Amino acid sequence: MTTTRTPAVGTPLSRLDGPLKVRGMATYAYEHEVDDPAYLALVLSSVARGRVTAVDDSAALAEPGVLTVLTHANALRLADDDPELAVLQSAEVSWRNQVVAAVVAETVEVAQHAAGLVRVTYEELPHDTEMRYDEDALEKPGSHVGLFGTAEGELNNGMPNADSAFGDVETALAEAPVAVDATYTLPHEFQNAMEPHAAIAQWTGEDTVTIHCGSQGVTDARRWIAMTLGLPPEHIRLVSPHVGGAFGSKTFPQSYAVLTAMAAKIAGRTVKLALTRRQMFFMTGYRAPCRHRVQLGAGRDGRLTAIAHDSVQQTARTKKYAEQIAVVSRTMWAAPNRRTTHRLLPLDVSVPTIMRGPGETQGTFALESAMDEMAIELGMDPVEFRILNEPDAHPESGLPFSSRHVVECLREGARLTGWERRDPTPRSRREDGWLVGTGVAAGQHVAPQLPGNSTRIRASRDGGYTVSIAAADLGTGTWTSLAQIAADGLGVDVGAVTMQIGDTDQPPASAAGFSSGTSSWGASVVAATREMRRLVEEEHGGTIPADGLDITVDAPANPYASQYEMYSFGAQFAEVRVHEETGTVRVPRLVGVFDAGRIVNPRTARSQLIGGMTQGISMTLHEAGVVDDRFGQVVNHDLAGYHVAANADVGSVEAHWIDSADPYTNPLSTKGLGEVCVVGTAAAIANAVHHATGLRIRDLPITLEKLLRQEPRRLP
């Protein structure tokens, strides 16, 4: 092994999988070649709650090419009663657009046509689908799924309790010389990844199945699907080498993957299913609507004396998924008196799920908008106000941060944007009929190293290495970054490394979530490369044996995990223009400066940061699911009615980072960056809109009718 080489980590290497994708050769879930497949089409419920009383499938079965129709009467009996995965297990309907039948046919066209011929009748039951905030309808998260874990007290995924309290918040707020009390809301939002959710299921014998399915974590997904099908995990192979975007929606397996496996078993054929874009609005999760009441108290000197953040979020009655949407207020700013609460509103709706920056994104919009409002009340510069309230340690646990460079991010962002030239007076700048404003927000995201990762390395006599781990690449650059990490660990060029990821035939890996991928998988790869080098150098005299070497190494736990609080941080600066006559909002410039540890690949890192900020622009100005409260159905369930930012909506988006390797997060000194880039965007833009117009919009998205509501002809 040579040691005189340029390190791969830190090099802006082009994506190794890029040529495959440009040529259309990267194989996504629905594109895997299989022999003689059949196709699946779905029948979805037309009621929000009730019971199926009859299914008339005679017309569908009469269609040439139809193989079978699946209903709750003839479906396989599953071993787990998870209400999301246990599809077609009873006549019960728990939300509108729940799967109530499915057609298997020889072609996609026949399957879809026949699905439209299936007639389902129901006994409708009373339902509750209206998002509201009545105190008597709310529940405290307890034994709920999702980011809050499974029990009260310390949670199994490291996330904190649903509520927290320190000091005397009410007294501190009542006695504060300056106070802010404001409520912020966010709507339904949808991931809308470019690649539709899809699955191919192929059985071998009676109890072994291969499933091609877009997944953010094949190891975890296999375990959940195995429990549902009643099979040992080793009897399921889940394959997902390339994922065409996910943003959280492919973290947990959903009913369509189980249903495809069920259909393949019943039909005795390989079966393929790709959800339509409209079905993705109903079947693959969403960011739930939520409300935040934020109260801040401060002295005349600008120091915060109290922070209270009380939140409510929608969830499904059948499966009470919960997110930590107020937890950001436990971390960001110092104050001796503190309270955060989370409450759920269970409704007869489909189950929410993770969406990029889950929890932090929603909570940061509220907290950082309130921080801007407080700075204005105090007559302070919003950057200096935040710096004044920078904590020395974690405000609630008291533990030191493994690294925290919020002040540097704020200072650098201010320098890059010429913040010192800003006139703080709202409506003080006009250009050709546009009101111009600037705003700032800070943000954070957890930066964990997750357990459960192992790496296999096979070394050949010719100097090549095959590195295998069941990691995921959602378009984030995993194929490339892990090859760079492996190359440095082995002391070879990247070209000598062949990566294998996204398959449960490879050693297990944690899912791509919590901005943990590179830190968790990279730590595993580092451990395996160290062992390989030790074997070669200490036991084989510096050479590889003729028959090669083959090792599998489990990643050790992070010894510092309980000693430090580990987060990525960032500061975002937005320039907006609001047209005085129409209320149209534009974002000509968005600048982000991030504290994300050591950067493995500057090229893919910048791509992720810019992508996250662009997604933040989209959620701030465009995205909102419009709900028919009679049924709990999102009515703008396509990309014609559900608006996302397009090229014309996005101006200059600039991503920068602080040179800040973190010695405690993992052996690579990295921190996550794929989510911290989205969390502060909405507040930065909202704060800039206020600076431009003098109007405070606390209800996302910021659309022209909200700005014009006070004056129909011209902004006041």
Side-chain angles (χ1 to χ4, degrees), residues 312-570:
V312 178
Q313 59 190 290
Q314 176 188 294
T315 193
R317 192 182 308 281
T318 56
K319 189 174 183 180
K320 295 175 181 175
Y321 174 88
E323 287 189 355
Q324 74 288 7
I325 61 177
V327 165
V328 62
S329 292
R330 304 178 188 177
T331 303
M332 281 304 301
W333 309 116
N337 303 286
R338 323 176 62 86
R339 181 186 72 235
T340 64
T341 65
H342 296 80
R343 296 295 179 267
L344 300 178
L345 175 63
L347 298 175
D348 298 311
V349 295
S350 60
V351 183
T353 195
I354 292 170
M355 186 169 174
R356 195 174 195 169
E360 282 89 350
T361 298
Q362 303 98 302
T364 298
F365 167 64
L367 174 65
E368 288 299 289
S369 295
M371 289 289 287
D372 194 66
E373 297 198 48
M374 176 59 86
I376 292 170
E377 289 292 325
L378 290 163
M380 292 186 66
D381 178 87
V383 170
E384 298 303 323
F385 172 57
R386 286 171 171 82
I387 291 173
L388 180 66
N389 288 284
E390 171 74 358
D392 296 326
H394 191 283
E396 297 194 1
S397 74
L399 291 175
F401 290 101
S402 59
S403 62
R404 180 178 168 122
H405 299 282
V406 176
V407 172
E408 292 94 324
C409 291
L410 287 165
R411 293 284 189 218
E412 178 64 6
R415 184 190 70 80
L416 290 167
T417 57
W419 186 263
E420 75 281 357
R421 299 190 299 273
R422 177 184 191 256
D423 182 341
T425 307
R427 301 176 60 85
S428 60
R429 182 179 168 193
R430 285 179 171 83
E431 294 181 5
D432 300 324
W434 295 81
L435 298 169
V436 182
T438 53
V440 63
Q444 58 88 27
H445 195 279
V446 291
Q449 177 189 327
L450 298 182
N453 291 277
S454 301
T455 298
R456 180 184 183 188
I457 301 180
R458 286 165 287 168
S460 63
R461 178 68 175 176
D462 63 5
Y465 297 86
T466 300
V467 180
S468 305
I469 179 173
D473 193 324
L474 321 180
T476 51
T478 303
W479 284 99
T480 308
S481 60
L482 291 188
Q484 292 175 270
I485 293 167
D488 278 2
L490 294 166
V492 298
D493 292 332
V494 171
V497 175
T498 299
M499 285 302 308
Q500 293 181 337
I501 67 171
D503 191 328
T504 53
D505 277 359
Q506 296 149 5
S510 56
F514 296 107
S515 282
S516 65
T518 299
S519 296
S520 303
W521 309 325
S524 177
V525 171
V526 167
T529 59
R530 287 175 176 173
E531 176 61 13
M532 177 61 75
R533 293 194 73 162
R534 187 195 67 80
L535 285 173
V536 171
E537 294 169 4
E538 295 181 11
E539 299 186 17
H540 297 281
T543 61
I544 296 173
D547 56 352
L549 289 172
D550 190 336
I551 63 169
T552 300
V553 176
D554 298 334
N558 184 349
Y560 302 108
S562 62
Q563 302 175 34
Y564 294 91
E565 296 282 0
M566 300 179 183
Y567 293 86
S568 299
F569 298 96

Side-chain angles (χ1 to χ4, degrees), residues 133-139 291 312 343:
Y133 301 102
D134 304 335
E135 290 299 325
D136 58 355
L138 305 181
E139 296 181 3
R291 183 193 69 178
V312 178
R343 296 295 179 267

Side-chain angles (χ1 to χ4, degrees), residues 14 64 149 179 192 233 311 349 371 472 522 529 585 634 693 705:
S14 295
N192 273 310
S311 66
V349 295
M371 289 289 287
T529 59
V585 182
V634 173
T693 66
E705 75 273 10

Side-chain angles (χ1 to χ4, degrees), residues 549-633:
L549 289 172
D550 190 336
I551 63 169
T552 300
V553 176
D554 298 334
N558 184 349
Y560 302 108
S562 62
Q563 302 175 34
Y564 294 91
E565 296 282 0
M566 300 179 183
Y567 293 86
S568 299
F569 298 96
Q572 305 210 24
F573 292 75
E575 177 187 321
V576 305
R577 293 173 179 251
V578 183
H579 197 274
E580 286 190 88
E581 294 286 346
T582 67
T584 301
V585 182
R586 294 283 184 260
V587 183
R589 189 183 188 198
L590 181 63
V591 176
V593 182
F594 301 98
D595 165 21
R598 186 186 186 195
I599 303 301
V600 173
N601 185 323
R603 186 187 299 266
T604 57
R606 181 167 281 107
S607 176
Q608 280 296 289
L609 295 172
I610 289 174
M613 288 192 285
T614 300
Q615 197 166 21
I617 294 172
S618 190
M619 72 170 282
T620 311
L621 301 183
H622 302 283
E623 298 190 35
V626 179
V627 180
D628 185 334
D629 286 333
R630 296 173 300 169
F631 313 111
Q633 173 171 307

